[in-house]
Amino acid sequence: MLTQTLRALERDGLVNRTVYPTVPPRVEYGLTELGVEAGRLTSAIGAWAVEHAQQVLAARQDFDDQVATAPEPVR
């Protein structure tokens, strides 16, 4: 699974793969400029999620409370 993921990232241009002709074979992966940029964006989304986690949890609780106390529809 790891190999498939790394190959997909390589295909997308996010990582470079370097193979060294040694015994046993050695392979190194590194981020491309595109990969570094994607990492920055991902980090920004993660930071936003951490900063707003309590608001999201409060909104979920408010929603669940409203659904739990909503009257049943008349049939």
Side-chain angles (χ1 to χ4, degrees):
M1 194 67 199
L2 177 60
T3 300
Q4 291 174 349
T5 301
L6 287 168
R7 291 292 173 120
L9 292 171
E10 182 182 13
R11 182 173 182 237
D12 291 341
L14 299 173
V15 299
N16 284 324
R17 180 176 183 257
T18 305
V19 180
Y20 297 95
T22 60
V23 177
R26 191 177 102 204
V27 179
E28 288 183 1
Y29 290 89
L31 289 175
T32 63
E33 288 183 31
L34 189 62
V36 170
E37 185 178 351
R40 284 190 202 114
L41 292 169
T42 303
S43 293
I45 291 170
W48 180 92
V50 169
E51 183 178 335
H52 294 89
Q54 291 304 315
Q55 289 172 276
V56 170
L57 293 173
R60 286 180 182 176
Q61 187 63 54
D62 289 345
F63 180 87
D64 291 346
D65 291 346
Q66 288 175 9
V67 170
T69 59
E72 288 291 319
V74 178
R75 295 180 188 198

